[in-house]
Amino acid sequence: MPSLHWKHARQISQIISVSLFFLLALLTYRGFEALVPLDLYFRLDPLIALSAMLAGRVIVPTLLIAILAIALALVFGRAWCGWLCPLGAILDWFTPQTQKIVPTARALRAVKYSVLIMIGVAALLGNLSLLILDPITLLNRAFGGALVPAFNVILGGIEAMVYPLAPIAPAFDWIEQNFRGTILPAQQTFDQLGWMLALAFAAVIALNWVAPRLWCRALCPLGAIYALFAKISWLRPRAIKDCSHCAACMRVCPTGAIAVTKHGFTVDSAECVVCMDCVAACPESVIGITFGGGRATESATVNLSRRQFLASAAASVAGVALLRIEPAAKRDYEFLVRPPGAQANDFLAKCIRCGECSKICPTGAIQPSLLEAGFEGFWSPLLVPRLGYCDYACTACGQICPTHAIPALALDDKRKQMIGTAYIDQNRCIPWAMDRPCVVCEEMCPVPEKAVRLDRVDVITPDGKTVRLQRPRVLHDLCIGCGICEYQCPLAGPAAIRVRAPMQLPPLT
């Protein structure tokens, strides 16, 4: 196949991969079923697979498919980065066309290996905090926590603006009738850290204005794994004949892997993403990306010294140690309510902060945390009942979690999980503080025996009248902390009934 055709084939492959990633993300967001696993890209990610299994001390069968990705890397090198990585494709599309491409400094290329070492050592110590830097989790969080909610706001604004125009109204009616509640959310979703997720994604894109694919060159820990295998891969750029030193290949290489000197060109195979741009740009067809054969063109690659390795490992150990002496490691934050079954499942050692549970939650209850669980739990999911509640008939978060940090519970078992405990603030509760009727929390409680009970009392109002009220109280032995009472409480601001972290009571004597 001519070199230009290979370049076009890569571009088509990137379009298909990005489209598939966002399609699966959208189907996850709406809780659909698909012919392929909705978490396919997480299963193909060797960084996620190795880190999660190391930290959790378990074998996750669904993640073993990542072995296939490693095997392909031994053959094709960093082709994943150039052909299939959805974030890499987006970075290619948002690179300024006039950007000058130069080889990356060795010290800068070494950063991603240091990040990889830190992630590996931390995983051995049961910590996955740095997996927020994995490109698949980063892109997935930005989609679910920022892009979809913001798109829905924009669409709603456009509809409100143009709907009064009679010729256009039927088109929006058709969209609402066919997509609202299926592809589009039935109601506006909210994310308490959406702005932060959007800024993190924008920062990665903005690095392209410093140097094309600077994220891939210097920071991406998944790229570092593929780079290690690319050093011994079978497929790599080679010289087919003598080079005239025109440097056309160096000018188009998106990762700065090519250097041209008076002796010819050299390629750092660990940085080459097999994009075929150099092959297409070479006016004399000097370069061939082949399976063996040709002349060696390998340049000196980054080799971490023992000192660099030990420094990265020591930084990781020190970081984990400091995280473990935070107050959050001793006492849970009072409103730290985890998804069902997660609290007793060595959660932080298994959670990769991917955002899948947040997307699939039908009520929007699962949100990324900031510092509620300390720095170690940064961006790990928790329930925010004021934004949504844990549906009594739903087990979606456990079914979608790629590492089983949230266990896949049967519905009957899930309904028995105490994820929190509700408490009534009598200073805010309408029947208690205002002597006015309200029974919303009792009506909404899904527990068959009703964890919220109403006590009939006669009270004297400030104007001297006697009224009969029903005041709520919580039976803590029955409450599972689903949060629907807090969600439905009619008060503005904090609810009068709030769900706190599960109780840890001493046994009865």
Side-chain angles (χ1 to χ4, degrees), residues 62-279:
T62 55
L63 295 180
L64 293 178
I65 191 176
I67 295 174
L68 175 61
I70 294 175
L72 292 176
L74 288 170
V75 177
F76 299 103
R78 288 187 69 176
W80 164 271
C81 303
W83 288 67
L84 296 174
C85 178
L87 182 57
I90 292 172
L91 292 176
D92 278 345
W93 299 341
F94 283 90
T95 297
Q97 296 300 312
T98 57
Q99 184 82 21
K100 183 179 179 181
I101 300 175
V102 295
T104 313
R106 291 186 65 186
L108 195 58
R109 285 181 284 168
V111 173
K112 61 179 175 290
Y113 297 106
S114 294
V115 174
L116 177 61
I117 292 169
M118 293 174 68
I119 290 175
V121 172
L124 286 172
L125 299 175
N127 178 280
L128 294 179
S129 298
L130 286 178
L131 275 187
I132 60 174
L133 298 176
D134 178 86
I136 303 301
T137 66
L138 189 152
L139 186 57
N140 195 60
R141 287 192 307 269
F143 176 82
L147 180 60
V148 170
F151 172 78
N152 202 42
V153 169
I154 294 170
L155 180 63
I158 294 174
E159 288 181 344
M161 181 175 59
V162 304
Y163 192 80
L165 302 177
I168 302 178
F172 283 100
D173 286 337
W174 181 83
I175 292 174
E176 292 294 317
Q177 292 170 5
N178 289 277
F179 299 105
R180 182 66 64 186
T182 54
I183 294 178
L184 297 173
Q187 57 185 1
Q188 178 63 44
T189 54
F190 300 91
D191 197 298
Q192 64 178 6
L193 294 184
W195 61 273
M196 186 178 290
L197 301 177
L199 284 178
F201 178 67
V204 172
I205 299 294
L207 290 175
N208 272 4
W209 270 255
V210 179
R213 280 213 179 203
L214 182 58
W215 164 265
C216 307
R217 301 192 201 189
L219 297 173
C220 181
L222 179 58
I225 288 182
Y226 283 113
L228 292 174
F229 289 104
K231 293 181 181 182
I232 56 174
S233 64
W234 190 21
L235 181 73
R236 61 179 61 194
R238 293 177 172 89
I240 299 175
K241 56 184 180 181
D242 291 334
C243 175
S244 63
H245 316 149
C246 71
C249 55
M250 186 176 72
R251 287 193 292 270
V252 299
C253 179
T255 58
I258 300 176
V260 177
T261 66
K262 63 181 180 179
H263 302 294
F265 76 94
T266 58
V267 181
D268 186 346
S269 59
E271 299 300 312
C272 174
V273 295
V274 200
C275 67
M276 301 289 184
D277 286 357
C278 58
V279 179

Side-chain angles (χ1 to χ4, degrees), residues 140 155 186 310 332 372 379 394 439 462 466 468 481:
N140 195 60
L155 180 63
L310 292 177
D332 284 340
E372 292 89 345
W379 275 353
C394 175
V439 295
T466 301
R468 173 158 292 188

Side-chain angles (χ1 to χ4, degrees), residues 329-349:
K330 173 67 174 177
R331 296 285 185 188
D332 284 340
Y333 172 63
E334 63 173 321
F335 297 112
L336 184 62
V337 181
R338 296 294 193 187
Q343 196 76 24
N345 194 37
D346 200 12
F347 182 65
L348 288 183

Side-chain angles (χ1 to χ4, degrees), residues 284-315:
E284 300 175 357
S285 300
V286 172
I287 306 175
I289 297 181
T290 61
F291 293 104
R295 309 173 194 180
T297 59
E298 185 71 17
S299 63
T301 58
V302 174
N303 293 307
L304 288 177
S305 66
R306 181 183 301 175
R307 178 178 297 179
Q308 290 171 308
F309 178 87
L310 292 177
S312 300

